[in-house]
Amino acid sequence: MLSSISSSSGATIFRISLFAALIYIAMSAVNYFFPLSSRDNESYLMGVVDNLERLEATKDDAKRILLLGGSSLGWGVSAEHISKVSGVKTLNLGVQAGIGYRNIWSIHREKLDPSRDVIVLSPEVGMIFNSAIITDQYCNVLRLAKLLSPDYFLCAPIGFVSLLKGIFLGDYLDEGVYKRSGFNAYGDYVYHYELPKTDMSFGASEYLDQESTDNAVREYQAFVGFLADMGFKVVLIPPIAARSVCLDEDLRFSFFQKLADKALHVFEREFPFCVDDDLFFNTSYHMTKEGVDFKTDVFLRQLNLLGII
């Protein structure tokens, strides 16, 4: 009797698992083969697809500086200016921190070369604490770029919902200032330079208490060590945030010193971790043109002190 019930239960679980797998496979196939909508093609996240093309186009350059991270780089540093001042091709790969730092690496890794590429990291505080592997932003990038991987399969439901939104709501969903066409040829986000500032969404202040940061710091140190072990020169320059979210610059300095343990770095306590809110456009990391000019000069000085340029 018990063995009969057990066999029946096992068969039911098998059928349910098989049915779920078939649904995932079907959604993955639709996501991959269905043409991108006009909304998809102008999606802000298509900036990642364009960055992959930029990396491919510059693969034979003798040296490249790659700004690898979230939108605090895309909206905060001018790779174009660094390229022109240093003579070293610099690409800004900072689109969205929500993709996750491990995923940002995995998306670009096949296009990178430790013999020629210097990786510059500048992680937002929130990015360090986001340990999720599967995120909406990451899944949507995989669908838009059609990057097949085990994660593509796991992302099937999220990608499918995004696909349906593009089909049925494309004409009604306005991403506002976030547009694919807002990136320049170096990957810098410049669309907003001539726009009036919007209401700022700085969010909650960034607390960095010891208890909650230790594990996240260890994981990020391991990530940096992994890149260094592959032969990459890895530079860490702290992000610059709006003063409204910076509660303790001493704690912030200590936090980024720990993150940079396995990376090349020269920043000291005097580093401008927090600056006036007026230098930001709509979030605590997205800067105005004036803010970008200021932050780019900071990055240039850091790279010069390290002998990268």
Side-chain angles (χ1 to χ4, degrees), residues 126-163:
M127 177 187 276
I128 301 302
F129 293 106
N130 181 11
S131 60
I133 300 299
I134 302 301
T135 69
D136 288 356
Q137 297 90 337
Y138 177 49
C139 290
N140 283 322
V141 167
L142 293 184
R143 181 181 71 84
L144 294 171
K146 299 188 182 296
L147 295 174
L148 291 178
S149 68
D151 287 348
Y152 191 94
F153 176 78
L154 295 175
C155 282
I158 294 174
F160 189 68
V161 170
S162 178
L163 172 67

PDB file of all heavy atoms in Angstrom, residues 126-163:
ATOM      1  N   GLY A 126      24.621  49.729  -3.315  1.00  0.00           N
ATOM      2  CA  GLY A 126      23.513  48.783  -3.488  1.00  0.00           C
ATOM      3  C   GLY A 126      23.903  47.572  -4.305  1.00  0.00           C
ATOM      4  O   GLY A 126      23.391  46.462  -4.079  1.00  0.00           O
ATOM      5  N   MET A 127      24.810  47.751  -5.260  1.00  0.00           N
ATOM      6  CA  MET A 127      25.242  46.636  -6.093  1.00  0.00           C
ATOM      7  C   MET A 127      25.971  45.583  -5.255  1.00  0.00           C
ATOM      8  O   MET A 127      25.833  44.379  -5.486  1.00  0.00           O
ATOM      9  CB  MET A 127      26.163  47.136  -7.217  1.00  0.00           C
ATOM     10  CG  MET A 127      26.725  46.030  -8.098  1.00  0.00           C
ATOM     11  SD  MET A 127      27.955  46.620  -9.282  1.00  0.00           S
ATOM     12  CE  MET A 127      26.906  47.199 -10.588  1.00  0.00           C
ATOM     13  N   ILE A 128      26.737  46.025  -4.278  1.00  0.00           N
ATOM     14  CA  ILE A 128      27.491  45.096  -3.438  1.00  0.00           C
ATOM     15  C   ILE A 128      26.559  44.204  -2.638  1.00  0.00           C
ATOM     16  O   ILE A 128      26.832  43.025  -2.410  1.00  0.00           O
ATOM     17  CB  ILE A 128      28.425  45.871  -2.475  1.00  0.00           C
ATOM     18  CG1 ILE A 128      29.405  46.745  -3.261  1.00  0.00           C
ATOM     19  CG2 ILE A 128      29.166  44.919  -1.561  1.00  0.00           C
ATOM     20  CD1 ILE A 128      30.270  45.971  -4.226  1.00  0.00           C
ATOM     21  N   PHE A 129      25.418  44.736  -2.220  1.00  0.00           N
ATOM     22  CA  PHE A 129      24.499  43.981  -1.368  1.00  0.00           C
ATOM     23  C   PHE A 129      23.465  43.188  -2.164  1.00  0.00           C
ATOM     24  O   PHE A 129      22.685  42.446  -1.585  1.00  0.00           O
ATOM     25  CB  PHE A 129      23.797  44.919  -0.395  1.00  0.00           C
ATOM     26  CG  PHE A 129      24.727  45.529   0.614  1.00  0.00           C
ATOM     27  CD1 PHE A 129      25.103  46.854   0.523  1.00  0.00           C
ATOM     28  CD2 PHE A 129      25.252  44.759   1.637  1.00  0.00           C
ATOM     29  CE1 PHE A 129      25.978  47.417   1.441  1.00  0.00           C
ATOM     30  CE2 PHE A 129      26.126  45.301   2.557  1.00  0.00           C
ATOM     31  CZ  PHE A 129      26.494  46.633   2.465  1.00  0.00           C
ATOM     32  N   ASN A 130      23.463  43.363  -3.484  1.00  0.00           N
ATOM     33  CA  ASN A 130      22.507  42.622  -4.308  1.00  0.00           C
ATOM     34  C   ASN A 130      23.133  41.285  -4.697  1.00  0.00           C
ATOM     35  O   ASN A 130      23.884  41.190  -5.662  1.00  0.00           O
ATOM     36  CB  ASN A 130      22.140  43.421  -5.564  1.00  0.00           C
ATOM     37  CG  ASN A 130      21.136  42.692  -6.437  1.00  0.00           C
ATOM     38  OD1 ASN A 130      20.551  41.693  -6.033  1.00  0.00           O
ATOM     39  ND2 ASN A 130      20.939  43.197  -7.646  1.00  0.00           N
ATOM     40  N   SER A 131      22.844  40.247  -3.924  1.00  0.00           N
ATOM     41  CA  SER A 131      23.450  38.940  -4.151  1.00  0.00           C
ATOM     42  C   SER A 131      22.631  38.058  -5.086  1.00  0.00           C
ATOM     43  O   SER A 131      23.039  36.936  -5.406  1.00  0.00           O
ATOM     44  CB  SER A 131      23.649  38.218  -2.814  1.00  0.00           C
ATOM     45  OG  SER A 131      22.403  38.038  -2.158  1.00  0.00           O
ATOM     46  N   ALA A 132      21.482  38.555  -5.536  1.00  0.00           N
ATOM     47  CA  ALA A 132      20.624  37.748  -6.417  1.00  0.00           C
ATOM     48  C   ALA A 132      21.323  37.496  -7.750  1.00  0.00           C
ATOM     49  O   ALA A 132      21.922  38.395  -8.335  1.00  0.00           O
ATOM     50  CB  ALA A 132      19.301  38.465  -6.645  1.00  0.00           C
ATOM     51  N   ILE A 133      21.244  36.268  -8.224  1.00  0.00           N
ATOM     52  CA  ILE A 133      21.819  35.927  -9.521  1.00  0.00           C
ATOM     53  C   ILE A 133      20.830  36.249 -10.636  1.00  0.00           C
ATOM     54  O   ILE A 133      21.188  36.814 -11.668  1.00  0.00           O
ATOM     55  CB  ILE A 133      22.208  34.440  -9.570  1.00  0.00           C
ATOM     56  CG1 ILE A 133      23.239  34.131  -8.487  1.00  0.00           C
ATOM     57  CG2 ILE A 133      22.760  34.073 -10.943  1.00  0.00           C
ATOM     58  CD1 ILE A 133      24.526  34.906  -8.618  1.00  0.00           C
ATOM     59  N   ILE A 134      19.581  35.876 -10.441  1.00  0.00           N
ATOM     60  CA  ILE A 134      18.543  36.124 -11.442  1.00  0.00           C
ATOM     61  C   ILE A 134      17.784  37.387 -11.071  1.00  0.00           C
ATOM     62  O   ILE A 134      17.079  37.423 -10.064  1.00  0.00           O
ATOM     63  CB  ILE A 134      17.576  34.925 -11.545  1.00  0.00           C
ATOM     64  CG1 ILE A 134      18.331  33.645 -11.894  1.00  0.00           C
ATOM     65  CG2 ILE A 134      16.495  35.212 -12.572  1.00  0.00           C
ATOM     66  CD1 ILE A 134      19.099  33.708 -13.208  1.00  0.00           C
ATOM     67  N   THR A 135      17.942  38.435 -11.855  1.00  0.00           N
ATOM     68  CA  THR A 135      17.225  39.694 -11.627  1.00  0.00           C
ATOM     69  C   THR A 135      16.457  40.064 -12.887  1.00  0.00           C
ATOM     70  O   THR A 135      16.776  39.583 -13.987  1.00  0.00           O
ATOM     71  CB  THR A 135      18.185  40.842 -11.273  1.00  0.00           C
ATOM     72  OG1 THR A 135      18.982  41.172 -12.442  1.00  0.00           O
ATOM     73  CG2 THR A 135      19.127  40.453 -10.135  1.00  0.00           C
ATOM     74  N   ASP A 136      15.460  40.909 -12.744  1.00  0.00           N
ATOM     75  CA  ASP A 136      14.673  41.332 -13.905  1.00  0.00           C
ATOM     76  C   ASP A 136      15.565  41.958 -14.975  1.00  0.00           C
ATOM     77  O   ASP A 136      15.420  41.662 -16.174  1.00  0.00           O
ATOM     78  CB  ASP A 136      13.605  42.344 -13.477  1.00  0.00           C
ATOM     79  CG  ASP A 136      12.462  41.708 -12.691  1.00  0.00           C
ATOM     80  OD1 ASP A 136      12.473  40.464 -12.544  1.00  0.00           O
ATOM     81  OD2 ASP A 136      11.581  42.442 -12.226  1.00  0.00           O
ATOM     82  N   GLN A 137      16.474  42.825 -14.539  1.00  0.00           N
ATOM     83  CA  GLN A 137      17.328  43.518 -15.496  1.00  0.00           C
ATOM     84  C   GLN A 137      18.238  42.548 -16.254  1.00  0.00           C
ATOM     85  O   GLN A 137      18.411  42.649 -17.466  1.00  0.00           O
ATOM     86  CB  GLN A 137      18.165  44.583 -14.787  1.00  0.00           C
ATOM     87  CG  GLN A 137      17.359  45.703 -14.150  1.00  0.00           C
ATOM     88  CD  GLN A 137      16.982  45.403 -12.709  1.00  0.00           C
ATOM     89  OE1 GLN A 137      16.927  44.241 -12.288  1.00  0.00           O
ATOM     90  NE2 GLN A 137      16.724  46.447 -11.932  1.00  0.00           N
ATOM     91  N   TYR A 138      18.821  41.609 -15.514  1.00  0.00           N
ATOM     92  CA  TYR A 138      19.696  40.614 -16.142  1.00  0.00           C
ATOM     93  C   TYR A 138      18.920  39.762 -17.140  1.00  0.00           C
ATOM     94  O   TYR A 138      19.368  39.531 -18.274  1.00  0.00           O
ATOM     95  CB  TYR A 138      20.302  39.734 -15.057  1.00  0.00           C
ATOM     96  CG  TYR A 138      21.169  38.605 -15.551  1.00  0.00           C
ATOM     97  CD1 TYR A 138      22.180  38.807 -16.496  1.00  0.00           C
ATOM     98  CD2 TYR A 138      20.993  37.310 -15.045  1.00  0.00           C
ATOM     99  CE1 TYR A 138      22.981  37.764 -16.925  1.00  0.00           C
ATOM    100  CE2 TYR A 138      21.802  36.268 -15.474  1.00  0.00           C
ATOM    101  CZ  TYR A 138      22.787  36.492 -16.418  1.00  0.00           C
ATOM    102  OH  TYR A 138      23.582  35.459 -16.835  1.00  0.00           O
ATOM    103  N   CYS A 139      17.743  39.298 -16.749  1.00  0.00           N
ATOM    104  CA  CYS A 139      16.933  38.463 -17.632  1.00  0.00           C
ATOM    105  C   CYS A 139      16.535  39.215 -18.897  1.00  0.00           C
ATOM    106  O   CYS A 139      16.530  38.649 -20.005  1.00  0.00           O
ATOM    107  CB  CYS A 139      15.684  37.976 -16.895  1.00  0.00           C
ATOM    108  SG  CYS A 139      16.047  36.762 -15.593  1.00  0.00           S
ATOM    109  N   ASN A 140      16.197  40.481 -18.753  1.00  0.00           N
ATOM    110  CA  ASN A 140      15.808  41.259 -19.929  1.00  0.00           C
ATOM    111  C   ASN A 140      16.993  41.509 -20.856  1.00  0.00           C
ATOM    112  O   ASN A 140      16.848  41.535 -22.073  1.00  0.00           O
ATOM    113  CB  ASN A 140      15.167  42.579 -19.499  1.00  0.00           C
ATOM    114  CG  ASN A 140      13.740  42.392 -19.030  1.00  0.00           C
ATOM    115  OD1 ASN A 140      12.993  41.590 -19.587  1.00  0.00           O
ATOM    116  ND2 ASN A 140      13.354  43.099 -17.984  1.00  0.00           N
ATOM    117  N   VAL A 141      18.189  41.679 -20.283  1.00  0.00           N
ATOM    118  CA  VAL A 141      19.383  41.816 -21.125  1.00  0.00           C
ATOM    119  C   VAL A 141      19.629  40.539 -21.914  1.00  0.00           C
ATOM    120  O   VAL A 141      19.929  40.576 -23.112  1.00  0.00           O
ATOM    121  CB  VAL A 141      20.621  42.174 -20.269  1.00  0.00           C
ATOM    122  CG1 VAL A 141      21.906  41.998 -21.082  1.00  0.00           C
ATOM    123  CG2 VAL A 141      20.525  43.602 -19.765  1.00  0.00           C
ATOM    124  N   LEU A 142      19.512  39.374 -21.254  1.00  0.00           N
ATOM    125  CA  LEU A 142      19.717  38.104 -21.949  1.00  0.00           C
ATOM    126  C   LEU A 142      18.734  37.944 -23.108  1.00  0.00           C
ATOM    127  O   LEU A 142      19.099  37.470 -24.189  1.00  0.00           O
ATOM    128  CB  LEU A 142      19.567  36.936 -20.978  1.00  0.00           C
ATOM    129  CG  LEU A 142      20.624  36.800 -19.879  1.00  0.00           C
ATOM    130  CD1 LEU A 142      20.381  35.526 -19.072  1.00  0.00           C
ATOM    131  CD2 LEU A 142      22.028  36.797 -20.448  1.00  0.00           C
ATOM    132  N   ARG A 143      17.490  38.355 -22.874  1.00  0.00           N
ATOM    133  CA  ARG A 143      16.495  38.242 -23.953  1.00  0.00           C
ATOM    134  C   ARG A 143      16.802  39.202 -25.093  1.00  0.00           C
ATOM    135  O   ARG A 143      16.785  38.824 -26.276  1.00  0.00           O
ATOM    136  CB  ARG A 143      15.091  38.519 -23.414  1.00  0.00           C
ATOM    137  CG  ARG A 143      13.998  38.391 -24.479  1.00  0.00           C
ATOM    138  CD  ARG A 143      12.632  38.693 -23.923  1.00  0.00           C
ATOM    139  NE  ARG A 143      12.451  40.102 -23.623  1.00  0.00           N
ATOM    140  CZ  ARG A 143      12.083  41.021 -24.522  1.00  0.00           C
ATOM    141  NH1 ARG A 143      11.885  40.694 -25.782  1.00  0.00           N
ATOM    142  NH2 ARG A 143      11.906  42.269 -24.154  1.00  0.00           N
ATOM    143  N   LEU A 144      17.106  40.448 -24.764  1.00  0.00           N
ATOM    144  CA  LEU A 144      17.369  41.452 -25.801  1.00  0.00           C
ATOM    145  C   LEU A 144      18.613  41.118 -26.618  1.00  0.00           C
ATOM    146  O   LEU A 144      18.652  41.309 -27.835  1.00  0.00           O
ATOM    147  CB  LEU A 144      17.520  42.835 -25.160  1.00  0.00           C
ATOM    148  CG  LEU A 144      16.261  43.412 -24.504  1.00  0.00           C
ATOM    149  CD1 LEU A 144      16.601  44.678 -23.714  1.00  0.00           C
ATOM    150  CD2 LEU A 144      15.180  43.707 -25.528  1.00  0.00           C
ATOM    151  N   ALA A 145      19.639  40.623 -25.931  1.00  0.00           N
ATOM    152  CA  ALA A 145      20.899  40.299 -26.612  1.00  0.00           C
ATOM    153  C   ALA A 145      20.894  38.886 -27.185  1.00  0.00           C
ATOM    154  O   ALA A 145      21.826  38.514 -27.912  1.00  0.00           O
ATOM    155  CB  ALA A 145      22.065  40.451 -25.636  1.00  0.00           C
ATOM    156  N   LYS A 146      19.855  38.112 -26.843  1.00  0.00           N
ATOM    157  CA  LYS A 146      19.750  36.708 -27.283  1.00  0.00           C
ATOM    158  C   LYS A 146      21.009  35.930 -26.915  1.00  0.00           C
ATOM    159  O   LYS A 146      21.611  35.237 -27.756  1.00  0.00           O
ATOM    160  CB  LYS A 146      19.447  36.631 -28.785  1.00  0.00           C
ATOM    161  CG  LYS A 146      18.123  37.305 -29.159  1.00  0.00           C
ATOM    162  CD  LYS A 146      17.734  37.072 -30.590  1.00  0.00           C
ATOM    163  CE  LYS A 146      16.437  37.795 -30.955  1.00  0.00           C
ATOM    164  NZ  LYS A 146      15.262  37.329 -30.216  1.00  0.00           N
ATOM    165  N   LEU A 147      21.400  36.057 -25.648  1.00  0.00           N
ATOM    166  CA  LEU A 147      22.586  35.385 -25.135  1.00  0.00           C
ATOM    167  C   LEU A 147      22.163  34.057 -24.500  1.00  0.00           C
ATOM    168  O   LEU A 147      21.674  34.016 -23.370  1.00  0.00           O
ATOM    169  CB  LEU A 147      23.290  36.261 -24.094  1.00  0.00           C
ATOM    170  CG  LEU A 147      23.874  37.581 -24.607  1.00  0.00           C
ATOM    171  CD1 LEU A 147      24.409  38.420 -23.446  1.00  0.00           C
ATOM    172  CD2 LEU A 147      24.988  37.314 -25.617  1.00  0.00           C
ATOM    173  N   LEU A 148      22.334  32.986 -25.237  1.00  0.00           N
ATOM    174  CA  LEU A 148      21.921  31.679 -24.754  1.00  0.00           C
ATOM    175  C   LEU A 148      22.871  31.173 -23.663  1.00  0.00           C
ATOM    176  O   LEU A 148      24.091  31.233 -23.819  1.00  0.00           O
ATOM    177  CB  LEU A 148      21.886  30.686 -25.907  1.00  0.00           C
ATOM    178  CG  LEU A 148      20.772  30.912 -26.953  1.00  0.00           C
ATOM    179  CD1 LEU A 148      20.874  29.886 -28.056  1.00  0.00           C
ATOM    180  CD2 LEU A 148      19.394  30.849 -26.288  1.00  0.00           C
ATOM    181  N   SER A 149      22.298  30.695 -22.590  1.00  0.00           N
ATOM    182  CA  SER A 149      23.058  30.173 -21.460  1.00  0.00           C
ATOM    183  C   SER A 149      22.056  29.482 -20.546  1.00  0.00           C
ATOM    184  O   SER A 149      20.836  29.605 -20.743  1.00  0.00           O
ATOM    185  CB  SER A 149      23.749  31.321 -20.707  1.00  0.00           C
ATOM    186  OG  SER A 149      22.780  32.137 -20.053  1.00  0.00           O
ATOM    187  N   PRO A 150      22.537  28.733 -19.542  1.00  0.00           N
ATOM    188  CA  PRO A 150      21.586  28.159 -18.575  1.00  0.00           C
ATOM    189  C   PRO A 150      20.710  29.233 -17.922  1.00  0.00           C
ATOM    190  O   PRO A 150      19.532  28.986 -17.644  1.00  0.00           O
ATOM    191  CB  PRO A 150      22.506  27.480 -17.555  1.00  0.00           C
ATOM    192  CG  PRO A 150      23.734  27.120 -18.335  1.00  0.00           C
ATOM    193  CD  PRO A 150      23.916  28.256 -19.309  1.00  0.00           C
ATOM    194  N   ASP A 151      21.271  30.406 -17.702  1.00  0.00           N
ATOM    195  CA  ASP A 151      20.487  31.487 -17.101  1.00  0.00           C
ATOM    196  C   ASP A 151      19.368  31.940 -18.028  1.00  0.00           C
ATOM    197  O   ASP A 151      18.318  32.409 -17.563  1.00  0.00           O
ATOM    198  CB  ASP A 151      21.388  32.672 -16.751  1.00  0.00           C
ATOM    199  CG  ASP A 151      22.266  32.407 -15.539  1.00  0.00           C
ATOM    200  OD1 ASP A 151      22.024  31.408 -14.840  1.00  0.00           O
ATOM    201  OD2 ASP A 151      23.202  33.192 -15.307  1.00  0.00           O
ATOM    202  N   TYR A 152      19.587  31.856 -19.338  1.00  0.00           N
ATOM    203  CA  TYR A 152      18.544  32.237 -20.299  1.00  0.00           C
ATOM    204  C   TYR A 152      17.297  31.388 -20.059  1.00  0.00           C
ATOM    205  O   TYR A 152      16.170  31.890 -20.075  1.00  0.00           O
ATOM    206  CB  TYR A 152      19.054  32.037 -21.722  1.00  0.00           C
ATOM    207  CG  TYR A 152      18.177  32.644 -22.798  1.00  0.00           C
ATOM    208  CD1 TYR A 152      18.430  33.926 -23.286  1.00  0.00           C
ATOM    209  CD2 TYR A 152      17.088  31.940 -23.322  1.00  0.00           C
ATOM    210  CE1 TYR A 152      17.621  34.491 -24.274  1.00  0.00           C
ATOM    211  CE2 TYR A 152      16.280  32.498 -24.292  1.00  0.00           C
ATOM    212  CZ  TYR A 152      16.555  33.784 -24.762  1.00  0.00           C
ATOM    213  OH  TYR A 152      15.752  34.342 -25.728  1.00  0.00           O
ATOM    214  N   PHE A 153      17.500  30.100 -19.797  1.00  0.00           N
ATOM    215  CA  PHE A 153      16.401  29.189 -19.523  1.00  0.00           C
ATOM    216  C   PHE A 153      15.724  29.553 -18.197  1.00  0.00           C
ATOM    217  O   PHE A 153      14.493  29.619 -18.116  1.00  0.00           O
ATOM    218  CB  PHE A 153      16.938  27.758 -19.487  1.00  0.00           C
ATOM    219  CG  PHE A 153      15.919  26.721 -19.121  1.00  0.00           C
ATOM    220  CD1 PHE A 153      14.988  26.272 -20.044  1.00  0.00           C
ATOM    221  CD2 PHE A 153      15.883  26.182 -17.840  1.00  0.00           C
ATOM    222  CE1 PHE A 153      14.043  25.311 -19.704  1.00  0.00           C
ATOM    223  CE2 PHE A 153      14.946  25.225 -17.485  1.00  0.00           C
ATOM    224  CZ  PHE A 153      14.025  24.786 -18.432  1.00  0.00           C
ATOM    225  N   LEU A 154      16.526  29.815 -17.170  1.00  0.00           N
ATOM    226  CA  LEU A 154      15.965  30.174 -15.865  1.00  0.00           C
ATOM    227  C   LEU A 154      15.207  31.490 -15.926  1.00  0.00           C
ATOM    228  O   LEU A 154      14.275  31.719 -15.143  1.00  0.00           O
ATOM    229  CB  LEU A 154      17.079  30.256 -14.824  1.00  0.00           C
ATOM    230  CG  LEU A 154      17.818  28.948 -14.507  1.00  0.00           C
ATOM    231  CD1 LEU A 154      18.970  29.210 -13.558  1.00  0.00           C
ATOM    232  CD2 LEU A 154      16.862  27.918 -13.919  1.00  0.00           C
ATOM    233  N   CYS A 155      15.614  32.358 -16.846  1.00  0.00           N
ATOM    234  CA  CYS A 155      14.990  33.679 -16.989  1.00  0.00           C
ATOM    235  C   CYS A 155      13.735  33.664 -17.852  1.00  0.00           C
ATOM    236  O   CYS A 155      13.126  34.719 -18.076  1.00  0.00           O
ATOM    237  CB  CYS A 155      15.996  34.651 -17.612  1.00  0.00           C
ATOM    238  SG  CYS A 155      17.248  35.277 -16.479  1.00  0.00           S
ATOM    239  N   ALA A 156      13.349  32.498 -18.340  1.00  0.00           N
ATOM    240  CA  ALA A 156      12.256  32.420 -19.315  1.00  0.00           C
ATOM    241  C   ALA A 156      10.987  33.156 -18.892  1.00  0.00           C
ATOM    242  O   ALA A 156      10.430  33.936 -19.682  1.00  0.00           O
ATOM    243  CB  ALA A 156      11.958  30.957 -19.632  1.00  0.00           C
ATOM    244  N   PRO A 157      10.474  32.963 -17.668  1.00  0.00           N
ATOM    245  CA  PRO A 157       9.221  33.656 -17.313  1.00  0.00           C
ATOM    246  C   PRO A 157       9.365  35.175 -17.321  1.00  0.00           C
ATOM    247  O   PRO A 157       8.483  35.890 -17.814  1.00  0.00           O
ATOM    248  CB  PRO A 157       8.918  33.136 -15.900  1.00  0.00           C
ATOM    249  CG  PRO A 157       9.647  31.841 -15.803  1.00  0.00           C
ATOM    250  CD  PRO A 157      10.889  32.030 -16.603  1.00  0.00           C
ATOM    251  N   ILE A 158      10.467  35.682 -16.773  1.00  0.00           N
ATOM    252  CA  ILE A 158      10.674  37.132 -16.733  1.00  0.00           C
ATOM    253  C   ILE A 158      10.800  37.681 -18.151  1.00  0.00           C
ATOM    254  O   ILE A 158      10.203  38.703 -18.507  1.00  0.00           O
ATOM    255  CB  ILE A 158      11.935  37.472 -15.904  1.00  0.00           C
ATOM    256  CG1 ILE A 158      11.722  37.093 -14.447  1.00  0.00           C
ATOM    257  CG2 ILE A 158      12.264  38.962 -16.016  1.00  0.00           C
ATOM    258  CD1 ILE A 158      12.955  37.244 -13.573  1.00  0.00           C
ATOM    259  N   GLY A 159      11.581  36.990 -18.976  1.00  0.00           N
ATOM    260  CA  GLY A 159      11.741  37.428 -20.357  1.00  0.00           C
ATOM    261  C   GLY A 159      10.435  37.377 -21.130  1.00  0.00           C
ATOM    262  O   GLY A 159      10.150  38.260 -21.947  1.00  0.00           O
ATOM    263  N   PHE A 160       9.618  36.374 -20.865  1.00  0.00           N
ATOM    264  CA  PHE A 160       8.346  36.218 -21.578  1.00  0.00           C
ATOM    265  C   PHE A 160       7.384  37.339 -21.220  1.00  0.00           C
ATOM    266  O   PHE A 160       6.697  37.891 -22.098  1.00  0.00           O
ATOM    267  CB  PHE A 160       7.732  34.853 -21.245  1.00  0.00           C
ATOM    268  CG  PHE A 160       6.543  34.497 -22.085  1.00  0.00           C
ATOM    269  CD1 PHE A 160       6.691  34.238 -23.442  1.00  0.00           C
ATOM    270  CD2 PHE A 160       5.282  34.422 -21.526  1.00  0.00           C
ATOM    271  CE1 PHE A 160       5.590  33.910 -24.229  1.00  0.00           C
ATOM    272  CE2 PHE A 160       4.181  34.097 -22.299  1.00  0.00           C
ATOM    273  CZ  PHE A 160       4.330  33.834 -23.656  1.00  0.00           C
ATOM    274  N   VAL A 161       7.323  37.684 -19.952  1.00  0.00           N
ATOM    275  CA  VAL A 161       6.462  38.800 -19.530  1.00  0.00           C
ATOM    276  C   VAL A 161       6.919  40.099 -20.185  1.00  0.00           C
ATOM    277  O   VAL A 161       6.102  40.897 -20.664  1.00  0.00           O
ATOM    278  CB  VAL A 161       6.470  38.936 -17.990  1.00  0.00           C
ATOM    279  CG1 VAL A 161       5.787  40.231 -17.563  1.00  0.00           C
ATOM    280  CG2 VAL A 161       5.785  37.746 -17.344  1.00  0.00           C
ATOM    281  N   SER A 162       8.239  40.320 -20.229  1.00  0.00           N
ATOM    282  CA  SER A 162       8.776  41.516 -20.873  1.00  0.00           C
ATOM    283  C   SER A 162       8.430  41.529 -22.355  1.00  0.00           C
ATOM    284  O   SER A 162       8.101  42.575 -22.929  1.00  0.00           O
ATOM    285  CB  SER A 162      10.291  41.570 -20.670  1.00  0.00           C
ATOM    286  OG  SER A 162      10.847  42.691 -21.318  1.00  0.00           O
ATOM    287  N   LEU A 163       8.505  40.365 -22.995  1.00  0.00           N
ATOM    288  CA  LEU A 163       8.153  40.252 -24.405  1.00  0.00           C
ATOM    289  C   LEU A 163       6.695  40.636 -24.636  1.00  0.00           C
ATOM    290  O   LEU A 163       6.372  41.405 -25.558  1.00  0.00           O
ATOM    291  CB  LEU A 163       8.402  38.817 -24.873  1.00  0.00           C
ATOM    292  CG  LEU A 163       7.917  38.452 -26.282  1.00  0.00           C
ATOM    293  CD1 LEU A 163       8.728  39.201 -27.324  1.00  0.00           C
ATOM    294  CD2 LEU A 163       8.027  36.946 -26.512  1.00  0.00           C
TER     295      LEU A 163
END
